Amino acid sequence: MPDGGFADTYSPRNVLDDPSFRILAPGEVPAPDANIAAFYNPNHEIHLVQKPRPIPGPGQVLVHVRATGICGHVHLLAHPERCVNPIGRDQERCSLLEAWKSRRFDDCDRRVQCGSGHESAGEVVEVGEGVTQWKVGDRVAIEAGVPCSKSSCDYCRVGPEVVFFSTPPFHGTLTRWHLHPAEWLHRLPDSLSFEEGSLCEPLAVALAGIERAGLRLGDPTLICGAGPIGLVSLLSARAAGAEPIVITDLFQSRLDFAKKLVPGVRTILIERGTTPKDGAQKIKAAAEGAVKVAIECSGVESSIHTAIHAMQFGGKVFIIGVGKNEQLFPFMHLSANEIDVSFQYRYANQYPKAIRLVAGGLINLKPLVTHRFKLEEAVSAFHVAADPSQGAIKVQIQD
């Protein structure tokens, strides 16, 4: 490994400076074995590129990526007009995209391109020197967050300093052939499909939140937001024994989906213009009392306020959602009611747990995938994922 750790090993320059790298023309049909990938840029443009097929070095594995889910935070790439006057969930996603543009895209490329995808699973096709735990044909889930692994790096021992594939400037896993450190792959049992292996990434997010929120058997629990992360949090909270569970959203269709997923969940439609206190009253009525734990999956200020006002004394609001850079919280209400507020950036040590829970039948991820596309159709897949009228929960690209 170079002195700079994985940041050097997976530098985008290794791809972008290769003479074979090129952006495919709209409608161009690549060769069947070409290493194509879905890339994006600060202008919100999504397109296919062709890049070199990597050769694994010491400690590396080449994976044929068989399934990749589209994360909800990238839907604005397909619809830049939503960043003009963003509302609701769009606010945090626009803030995230603008942060990427200002802080990271400048490092990305002379053509300013970055690869997407971090929810992936696939099949080992080649192993590098010294790799003994994997062989050709092994089925794996790909953990996208990789610490630099330098012995001198304190952050590697606590979590935040990582190469996270698809976060600029690092290219993502939405590609045909992906090079990955051997120690950051996870074996899929025969009973799990590549589709389920891909979904272990958002499940890992939810499991980290459930763990750090301290949710216990029988805790009355609120989940704010019925998007993919909210839904896997719902499945995780049910598996952890939360009861009752209330879930909120702005769209009735998503609440209906949540009800089919976990029939015992109690759903609350938050209509636009509803005050946080009024929303909290509806939640308390549904839960037959204040809740002890809230898993906030939107990052929207009004939703966080609603969760706070729905809490019992000494409860905990755990925020998974990504929100605006600065927000106002009801400080004295939190203080007087000893309500804890905690946040999640990423996760650690969750993939093995996620695989065990799915393989053991405690969590069923299969219903979450509502749309499937071929890798060559990745651009269309992004547009479907970005269009609420399509009713997509989780869009997957498969190869």
Side-chain angles (χ1 to χ4, degrees):
M1 184 190 306
D3 291 341
F6 285 129
D8 283 353
T9 303
Y10 296 98
S11 168
R13 291 290 175 187
N14 298 335
V15 171
L16 298 167
D17 291 340
D18 190 285
S20 66
F21 175 83
R22 66 187 184 91
I23 298 172
L24 298 183
E28 180 179 352
V29 179
D33 61 345
N35 192 21
I36 58 174
F39 273 48
Y40 59 93
N41 62 30
N43 296 324
H44 307 254
E45 296 166 339
I46 306 165
H47 41 248
L48 292 179
V49 305
Q50 184 169 310
K51 59 181 189 174
R53 173 171 167 154
I55 299 173
Q60 294 180 318
V61 171
L62 186 64
V63 179
H64 177 194
V65 180
R66 300 293 299 276
T68 300
I70 296 180
C71 172
H73 280 160
V74 299
H75 87 289
L76 288 169
L77 294 169
H79 292 279
E81 70 277 5
R82 294 181 188 171
C83 272
V84 176
N85 292 298
I87 59 173
R89 288 184 180 84
D90 288 352
Q91 290 176 324
E92 77 265 12
R93 291 167 182 164
C94 289
S95 297
L96 182 62
L97 184 58
E98 291 305 313
W100 284 352
K101 287 166 67 174
S102 62
R103 293 171 48 238
R104 291 296 193 99
F105 267 117
D106 289 343
D107 299 330
C108 213
D109 172 31
R110 62 188 182 278
R111 286 161 285 186
V112 198
Q113 301 293 329
C114 247
S116 58
H118 56 263
E119 304 176 7
S120 295
E123 182 178 358
V124 173
V125 293
E126 193 175 345
V127 300
E129 179 186 345
V131 175
T132 58
Q133 67 269 51
W134 302 112
K135 66 181 185 304
V136 173
D138 284 344
R139 302 163 65 257
V140 296
I142 302 171
E143 183 164 357
V146 177
C148 81
S149 298
K150 294 176 65 179
S151 60
S152 59
C153 179
D154 287 339
Y155 286 110
C156 270
R157 289 187 281 273
V158 298
E161 191 63 30
V162 300
V163 167
F164 199 93
F165 292 100
S166 81
T167 297
F170 302 106
H171 295 169
T173 58
L174 183 43
T175 184
R176 178 160 286 144
W177 314 110
H178 172 69
L179 196 62
H180 209 73
E183 62 266 39
W184 293 99
L185 298 172
H186 302 274
R187 191 176 305 278
L188 291 178
D190 292 340
S191 59
L192 261 64
S193 65
F194 291 119
E195 198 167 271
E196 292 170 293
S198 169
L199 287 166
C200 284
E201 199 284 334
L203 178 57
V205 174
L207 293 176
I210 295 293
E211 181 177 303
R212 291 191 53 222
L215 189 152
R216 296 186 177 184
L217 203 67
D219 281 350
T221 299
L222 167 66
I223 296 171
C224 300
I229 295 298
L231 293 173
V232 291
S233 296
L234 169 62
L235 289 168
S236 302
R238 173 56 78 212
E243 178 62 29
I245 305 175
V246 178
I247 190 167
T248 65
D249 203 88
L250 298 172
F251 298 98
Q252 186 61 48
S253 60
R254 290 195 165 188
L255 294 174
D256 293 342
F257 191 95
K259 192 73 173 177
K260 291 179 182 177
L261 196 64
V262 177
V265 71
R266 307 175 188 189
T267 63
I268 298 293
L269 178 67
I270 302 295
E271 298 178 353
R272 295 190 185 278
T274 301
T275 68
K277 289 184 178 180
D278 287 343
Q281 287 298 103
K282 292 180 180 180
I283 291 164
K284 290 178 182 179
E288 301 176 36
V291 298
K292 185 175 182 180
V293 176
I295 307 295
E296 211 296 317
C297 301
S298 76
V300 176
E301 186 175 302
S302 59
S303 179
I304 296 170
H305 282 220
T306 300
I308 290 169
H309 288 293
M311 300 303 296
Q312 60 183 236
F313 186 93
K316 184 162 192 173
V317 177
F318 191 85
I319 302 171
I320 296 178
V322 178
K324 294 187 299 183
N325 190 47
E326 295 184 5
Q327 299 193 28
L328 296 175
F329 287 177
F331 177 85
M332 281 311 301
H333 180 86
L334 289 166
S335 176
N337 290 276
E338 296 188 5
I339 297 169
D340 292 336
V341 179
S342 296
F343 302 86
Q344 178 170 315
Y345 179 52
R346 290 203 174 112
Y347 52 81
N349 307 315
Q350 299 299 323
Y351 257 84
K353 184 195 305 183
I355 291 170
R356 289 196 302 269
L357 288 168
V358 178
L362 278 77
I363 291 179
N364 180 16
L365 299 173
K366 294 178 182 178
L368 296 175
V369 181
T370 55
H371 295 70
R372 297 167 180 85
F373 290 82
K374 297 178 181 179
L375 179 57
E376 292 83 357
E377 302 168 334
V379 174
S380 297
F382 272 88
H383 286 277
V384 168
D387 184 358
S389 70
Q390 299 287 329
I393 297 295
K394 179 57 69 175
V395 176
Q396 278 208 352
I397 296 166
Q398 302 176 350
D399 190 46

